[in-house]
Structures are given as structure tokens and as C-alpha cells.
Amino acid sequence: MTSDTHHAAEQAGGSQRVLVEEGEWQGWYYSTGDAFNAHVGPFYYRDDENGARVCAMRAEARHLNGGGMMHGGALMTFADYCLYAFASILGDPHMVTASFNSEFVGAVPPGAIVECRGEVIRSTRSMVFLRGLMTVEGETVLSFSGILKKVRPKS
């Protein structure tokens, strides 16, 4: 987030959903309440004109590997975030990642905006099955799938 970015927040469970009101990410949301995502992000999301969830981030210098491209671990971390963003449409915020698979298809250069789209394949009483594609300028850079396990919040 830049210092000139203004935002409006609304409380949702243990985290806040924050709308970016100015700057490059105007109209996108980000979530607070996850220290790790705050450290490695920022990650953004919004719903497109068809109601589909879209996530995005910009590859910054701190996300790069020794070869000058976005680190695979950073891509997988963003993909894991995206699983939760896609599953959030189900309304159950209490889930943990049970399985995660990914295939690296292309490289992400510094400064690129990485966009991710995905879908819930199936939701059962205890599991959510999802898949997604990460792209840069329309070219696929990562395909992934995962299973989230629904858990009860501890009282």
C-alpha cells in the first residue's frame, strides 16, 4: 500500500475487508488479520462484471528470486491466498489448506501485475475443492488446485 492510498474498512469475522478508494488498486479489496499475508503481499481481490472473484498482486523486488523473476514460493503463497478468496463466496471463513498442487508454466518479471481467476469445483460438508490459473498479461504462469478443510473456530 502506498501512503496516498485511501481505504474504507468493514469488519468480517476476525479480519477486515478493506476497499481501496484511490490509486492503482482503486476498487479492489484487501484483507487484514493475517500477519503472513501482510508480510508477503499485498494481495488484492474484487468481483468482476460477471460476479467471478479475481485476485491480483504486483511482483515487487522483494518477491524476486536470484534470477530476477518472481520466486516460485511467492507464486505458491499468492495461489494459496487465492484459494481462500475463491472459497470465501461460500460464506465460511474457517478453513485450512489440506492439499495444494501447482504447475509452473511461465516466468513473472519484476513489476508485472499477476492476476488470478479460479473456481470452487465442489463443496462438501467438510471440504472445498478448488482450482485456479494465474496469468500475466493474459499468459498463464501457474496452474494450481487445492483442497480446503472446513474447521470449527476455537472458542
Side-chain angles (χ1 to χ4, degrees), residues 31-70:
S31 297
T32 64
D34 186 310
F36 185 73
N37 285 344
H39 177 71
V40 297
F43 303 141
Y44 300 94
Y45 67 93
R46 65 177 174 82
D47 294 334
D48 71 11
E49 60 280 351
N50 298 317
R53 180 69 36 102
V54 182
C55 300
M57 70 171 292
R58 180 174 293 286
E60 299 175 0
R62 63 197 177 98
H63 300 126
L64 305 181
N65 61 23
M69 295 295 180
M70 192 165 171

Side-chain angles (χ1 to χ4, degrees), residues 18-34:
V18 182
L19 174 63
V20 180
E21 295 181 327
E22 291 182 357
E24 175 181 25
W25 297 101
Q26 182 177 0
W28 292 77
Y29 291 91
Y30 67 93
S31 297
T32 64
D34 186 310

